[in-house]
């Protein structure tokens, strides 16, 4: 069995660090480029770029878009697979499908997606989206994935 390694890209600044220890990780593109190149040079295969529109922690700075940051990382690496997190209900699946096709082109076939159903109610309500109960969020995620697959199937038929 081959074990493959990945890491969380710090595109969300400090929003995933629940600690009082001073954060030394930077979320800028320059920092993410550096981390990606170090990871690739050391045999890491994946980097997961989280998505967040509203921070779940106080004092968060430097929250960047997962899709755009993934495209930048893909352009400066040759083997690392950027996995883009996308929250259903906050992104239109047909637009995400097109963005991923573009990311796949930039990365030369290394694009991947992490579809998330949402857990931070404040994030949805702050953006004017209705908060759905657990089962309905997962139903929406199923539908989101169906739209992605249908869009890509249409593209492959060309």
């Amino acid at each position: 069995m081959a074990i493959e390694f990945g890491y969380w890209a710090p595109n969300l600044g400090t929003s995933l660090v629940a600690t009082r220890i001073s954060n030394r990780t930077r979320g800028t593109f320059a920092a993410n480029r550096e981390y990606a190149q170090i990871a690739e040079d050391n045999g890491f295969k994946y980097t997961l770029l989280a998505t967040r529109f509203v921070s779940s922690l106080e004092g968060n700075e430097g929250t960047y878009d997962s899709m755009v940051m993934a495209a930048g990382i893909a352009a400066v690496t040759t083997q690392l697979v950027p996995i883009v997190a996308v929250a259903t209900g906050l992104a239109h699946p047909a637009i995400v499908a097109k963005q991923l096709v573009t990311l796949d082109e930039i990365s030369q076939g290394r694009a991947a997606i992490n579809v998330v159903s949402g857990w931070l109610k404040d994030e949805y309500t702050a953006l004017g989206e209705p908060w759905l109960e657990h089962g309905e969020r997962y139903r929406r995620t199923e539908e989101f994935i169906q739209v992605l697959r249908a869009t890509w199937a249409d593209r492959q038929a060309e």
Side-chain angles (χ1 to χ4, degrees), residues 1-60:
M1 174 175 99
I3 297 176
E4 298 175 326
F5 291 91
Y7 72 98
W8 282 81
N11 63 300
L12 299 185
T14 60
S15 68
L16 296 176
V17 181
T19 180
R20 294 185 187 272
I21 298 171
S22 177
N23 183 26
R24 294 178 289 169
T25 305
R26 301 173 328 276
T28 64
F29 173 68
N32 273 282
R33 177 182 58 223
E34 177 186 344
Y35 303 145
Q37 290 169 335
I38 290 168
E40 187 171 73
D41 290 346
N42 286 281
F44 280 65
K45 183 168 182 176
Y46 305 100
T47 182
L48 176 60
L49 296 107
T51 185
R52 183 68 52 237
F53 293 93
V54 173
S55 177
S56 56
L57 296 175
E58 300 227 2
N60 183 47

Side-chain angles (χ1 to χ4, degrees), residues 50 62 150 152:
W152 293 329

Side-chain angles (χ1 to χ4, degrees), residues 4 9 17 29 40 47 52 58 61 66 68 74 91-92 102 110 112 119-122 130 138 140 142-144 157-158:
E4 298 175 326
V17 181
F29 173 68
E40 187 171 73
T47 182
R52 183 68 52 237
E58 300 227 2
E61 296 174 10
S66 61
V68 175
H92 192 285
T102 306
R110 293 178 284 130
W119 62 271
L120 186 59
K121 181 178 180 179
D122 291 347
Y138 281 84
R140 177 178 58 198
E142 246 181 89
E143 184 178 284
F144 189 96
E158 294 174 353

Side-chain angles (χ1 to χ4, degrees), residues 70-91:
I73 288 172
V76 299
T77 59
T78 60
Q79 297 174 24
L80 196 65
V81 176
I83 306 170
V84 179
V86 177
T88 62
L90 300 179

